[in-house]
Amino acid sequence: MKLSKISTALLATGLASQVLAAPAMNKNPLADLPYANKTENGYSLDFNDKNYTTVTTEINGKKITYRAYEKIVYVANPVEPEYQTLNFYVPEEYYQNGEINGYNAKTAPIFLPNAIGGYMPATAAAASQSGMGGKTSTILTALERGYVVASVGARGRTLKQGNTYTGKAPAVILDLKAAVRYLHANDDKMVGDANKIISNGTSAGGAMSALLGASGDSADYAKLLKEMGAVNASDAIFAVSAYCPITNLENADTAYEWEFNGLHHYSRMDMSKLDAKTFNDRSMKQATIEGELSADEIKISNDLKAQFPDYLNSLQLKDEKSNALTLDKDGNGSFRTYVENALVLSANQTLSGLNTDEKKAFVEKYKGLSYANGIVSAVNLTEFVTNKARMKSPPAFDALDLSSGENDEFGTETVQTLHFTPYSLKNSTIKGGMAKDENIKLLNAMNYTDNDKAAQHWRIRVGSEDYDTSHAISAMLAVKLKMSGKNVDYALPWGVGHAGDYDLDELFDWVDKIAR
Ligand code: DHB
C-alpha cells in the first residue's frame, strides 16, 4: 500500500512533509529551449501543430511515445515569459486514429498540472522531469492513462525586474486562467477535449488548482486578463484535483489556532533560510526552528482561536443531511465533529487493511482515538493534534513582522510584503500596510464556490498529519462546494503529511469515472 509507505517516511523524519510538498523545480530542463511561438512582433496565440518533437520513453516498465509541444507562451504580452508558458504533451497513438483507455484524439481529457509551491514562481514541468519527491513522473503516468497533458507555469511572489515585483497576487491565478483560455481558444487544433480540463496541484499549487476551478469565467478577472494579453475565450474547467490546498489565507490564522491552540511546542520552517531555489529543490530539507510559544504568542493564539467560530458560523454550512455545521464560542460543535468524522473514516480505511497485531500497534501509536472491536468510533481532535508539534507559530500566515511567504505573496509591484488580515494589521510589529481587498478576494477559492461556471467535479486530499494549514480550511471548502451541488470527493488520507501526487492510480481512476 502506497499510502502507508509514505506515512512511515513522514513520521520518521517529520521534515519530510516539507520536502515532499515542494514541486518539481529541479533545474528546468527546458531553460535553454527557445519559445515555440515567438514572432517578430510578440507571441502568436494560434497553436502550431507542426512544432513538436517525438519522444519515446519508459514508464512503469512500459514504452510510451508522445509528441512534445514545449515552451508555448500563453499570453500575448508576457512579463515573465519563462514562467507564462505551457508544455503540451500528446500520446502518439492519437495521431494514428488510436484509442487509449477508451479515449481518442477528440475525447481525451486534458490533465493540467501546475508545479506551484510556496506561492513561488514555477516553470511548467517537463515530461522529462521526475515527479514529486523524485518519484515517477505524474505527466508520464497521465500520458500512459491516455490523457493529454498541458503542464502550466505561472509567476510567483519572488519575481523582480529592477525595482519592480512582477509576480505578486493575483498574477499566479491570472496566468493559470490565461493558459486555460489558450487551450479553449485552440481546442479545434489541439488533440484532447478542452471541455474536460482537470487541474492538479499541491499546497499553494493545490490552492491555485481549487481557485482555477471555482472561479471559471468569473467577470472579476476579465479586465486584468485582457490587459495582460490573454486570449478572449473561456477559462472554465471541468474538474479539480487539489492536494492540501493552502487557500482561504485571510481566515487561515484563526482556523489554525482553532485546531492547534493547545500546542505550545513548534517545529517550523526557518523563513530566513528560505529562498526559491532551496524551497523548490525537492532533494533539500528545509531548515527548521524548534521552540516554545512565548506568553505573547499564546495570547495571540487565544485571540485568533476566539475569532474563528464567528467566521465559520457566517458561512452557514450544512452537511449532506442538511444538518447545520456550527461552532460555539469555544470552538466546539457540529463542525468540529464533521472534521473529526473525516478522520474516523480515514482511520478505519487504514485499519481495514491491517491484521490484529498491526491494529493494536496502530491504535497505541495515536492519541485521541476511541477504539473498540477493530474500529475507530471517534477521534477527539484536541487530543489527536498532540501527536505532532505545531508547524507554525501564531499568526501562522499573516506574520506580525511581515515575514511569511503569504505576506510576500500579497505585496505589490513596489511593496514587497503586506498584511491581509485586520488582526495582523492592527498588531503589526513593523507598521506594515494592508493588501487591497480586491487582491485578497481574487486569490481565495471560497469566494467562488457558488459561481455558475465553477468546475463540477472535485477531488480534495489533505493528509491527516498535514499541519501546514488547519484541516478546517479544506473541510469548509469541501462543504461549500457540496452545498452548491458539486460532485466532491474529500478525504484525509491517514498518516500523510504535507504532500501531493502520492496516489496517482486512485486520482486517475477518479478522472476516468468523471470523464469517460
Ligand atoms: C506551502 C506551504 C506552506 O506552509 C505555506 O504556508 C504556503 C505554501 C507549499 O508547500 O506550497
Side-chain angles (χ1 to χ4, degrees), residues 21 117-119 202-204 246 269 279 391-392 397 406 468 498:
Y119 288 97
T202 296
S203 193
I246 305 274
M269 251 190 292
F279 188 86
M391 190 207 149
K392 293 176 175 174
F397 293 87
E406 287 76 11
D468 276 52
H498 192 60

